[in-house]
Structure formats: C-alpha cells, structure tokens
C-alpha cells in the first residue's frame, strides 16, 4: 500500500519546507505505519512517472505550505494544470495554506482545484482564510486544523514557561525585504541581548543581512536544519524573527519565541491559535513582546481528530 505525498520541500531553497515535511511525515507514519510513502514534487512540473505513481497510490496527499492561490495559471507554487489535475486526483490537503491575501479565485483556478481535490475525503487547511477561499469555489469538505507543525501534543506549553535568555537566534526573509523594519528589529535585539546569532533559512537571507550594513557582532550559523536544531535549547537561547517555520521549529523545541509578521501566514495562524506573533512592528511593541510573557498556544484538536479519523 502506498501514499503519494506531494512534497513542497523537493527542490525548495527554503529550509522551512523541510520543517513542514518533517511534521507531515511524522503524522502520516503514525496514522498509517504499514504504508510506503513516495515523495512527488509540487514545485516542478509532474512527469509521467510521478503521475503513474499518484494514480496507483492508495492515498494522495499534499503536505502543507501555501500552495494555493487565486490565479494558479500565473502563480503556481503547486505546478499542476487542469489536465494534470484530472489525472492525479483525488488528492487530500494536509495543512495547506493560501498564498497572500487575494481576491476571488478565477475560473481556471476553480477548475484545477475542483478536478484535483477529493470530493469525498476531508481536507485539512492551515487557517480560516484558506477555508473560506476554498468554500468560495464550492469546496466545503474542509476543516481548519492549523499547520501540521503545531499538531504535537503539548505544542507551545514548554516555550511559554521559559525565561528570557541572554542570547537570541534571529531570522530575516530575503523575498520580503523591508530594510527599515529589519534594521529596527536588529537594533532592538542588540539592545536587549548580549549575543546575536543569525540563521539563513532561505538561500538569499545571508546576502540580505549583509545589505542592511548592521551585521557587526552577529554570528551567522550554518544554513542547515541540523545546525539550527543544535542551538535550540530551552533557556539557553531565544528565537525572534520573520521566518514563520523557523519560529515554529523553535517552539517545538521549547524555545521562547517571538515571530514578526510579514504576511498572511503568521497573522492568520495567530488569530486562531495564539501563536506569539507581533504585528506592525515598532520599537516599543517589539520590546514589549520580547520582555513580556509568551502566551500558551491552543490548536483545534477536534478538527485535527476529524481529519485523522478518515485514515482509520
């Protein structure tokens, strides 16, 4: 028996996709340990061999990230067209989100998603915004579970009890640059913490940090998930940054975390879960978030259980 997992981490230059993949794999192997998981790409056009694997699989699942958009002919995080969509389905979503705030999905997107996505199974989406977008094109067999990276029992409880450290591990986002915001972020961190470490989650993050010309005294760590994980010790370091899944990985490890919102993903997750996100960054708001207490996080356990139940 086989699961065809459409895996956004294949060919991805963003290590956050590996964090999502780890969570999805943990979930699927616990639910269906007897089934082989075959990884298929989302960020590349699906070849005939991959289409055959998907057609023959017992389950076809898309594993997270913001793959959906209102104009899938122009912006394709998930590289499928209408003809491919008809051949690979029916597909189930697992914690998938919508790319940015957008208007109504166009007719092409509606046709692609209605062709690809299962009409009988239950889809899991990352936030209420994504659920509403799918409902607007008639796809209503959907539950809002939050991101699979947040499904582990007790997620966020240890991090909320951890006292502020003297060291901070921070991130920036090269594809969403805002020099004024990011210089402010670094300046506040330098005034609060004794040691600053920078993790390049994306390919261009190190170059972007250098372009800000305020990286003196900052130690840049290796751009790998293993190097990041090795530093995530509760009480020894904090996490503050614009990378959502870098922050979630830190919370998974019990590290005190503040995520700086730069798009709809962290904003929408924070609305429903209490994820420690600071919006509309300014000096006083950021300082208050870092120095203040970090809230516990809550997830929709009922929705997660509903999605899991379909696998027996």
């Amino acid at each position: 028996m086989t699961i065809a997992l459409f895996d956004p981490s294949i060919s991805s230059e963003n290590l956050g996709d590996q964090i999502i993949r780890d969570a999805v794999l943990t979930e699927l192997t616990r639910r269906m340990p007897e089934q082989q998981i075959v990884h298929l790409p989302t960020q590349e056009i699906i070849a005939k061999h991959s289409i055959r694997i998907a057609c023959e699989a017992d389950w076809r699942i898309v594993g997270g990230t913001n793959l959906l958009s209102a104009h899938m002919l122009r912006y394709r995080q998930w590289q499928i067209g209408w003809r491919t969509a008809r051949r690979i389905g029916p597909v189930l979503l697992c914690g998938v989100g919508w790319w940015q705030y957008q208007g109504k999905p166009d007719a092409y997107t509606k046709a692609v998603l209605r062709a690809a996505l299962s009409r009988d199974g239950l889809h899991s989406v990352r936030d209420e915004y994504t659920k509403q977008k799918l409902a607007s094109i008639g796809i209503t067999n959907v539950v809002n579970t939050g991101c699979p990276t947040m499904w582990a029992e007790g997620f966020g409880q240890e991090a909320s009890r951890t006292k502020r450290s003297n060291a901070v591990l921070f991130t920036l986002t090269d594809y969403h640059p805002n020099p004024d915001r990011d210089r402010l972020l670094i300046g506040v961190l330098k005034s609060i913490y004794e040691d600053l470490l920078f993790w390049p989650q994306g390919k261009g993050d190190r170059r972007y940090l250098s372009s800000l010309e305020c990286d003196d005294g900052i130690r840049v760590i290796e751009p790998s998930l293993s190097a990041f994980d090795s530093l995530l010790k509760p009480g020894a370091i904090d996490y503050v940054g614009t990378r959502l899944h870098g922050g979630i990985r830190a919370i998974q490890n019990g590290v005190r975390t503040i995520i700086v919102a730069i798009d709809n993903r962290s904003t929408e997750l924070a609305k429903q879960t209490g994820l420690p996100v600071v919006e509309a960054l300014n000096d006083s708001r950021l300082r208050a978030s870092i120095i203040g207490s970090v809230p516990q996080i809550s997830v929709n356990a009922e929705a997660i259980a509903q999605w899991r139940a379909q696998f027996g």
Side-chain angles (χ1 to χ4, degrees), residues 1-3 28-36 59 311:
M1 300 181 72
T2 305
I3 300 170
L28 295 181
T29 52
R30 285 178 177 172
R31 301 274 78 76
M32 297 173 282
E34 75 286 356
Q35 297 211 22
Q36 180 187 19
W59 297 95
F311 303 108

Side-chain angles (χ1 to χ4, degrees), residues 128-144:
E128 196 64 25
Y129 178 74
T130 304
K131 183 179 178 182
Q132 291 171 2
K133 284 294 184 186
L134 288 173
S136 73
I137 57 175
I139 300 173
T140 57
N141 49 323
V142 179
V143 287
N144 173 7

Side-chain angles (χ1 to χ4, degrees), residues 145-164:
T145 60
C147 184
T149 54
M150 303 171 66
W151 290 5
E153 186 176 353
F155 175 81
Q157 294 181 12
E158 184 177 352
S160 68
R161 296 190 295 267
T162 303
K163 294 183 179 179
R164 183 166 57 85

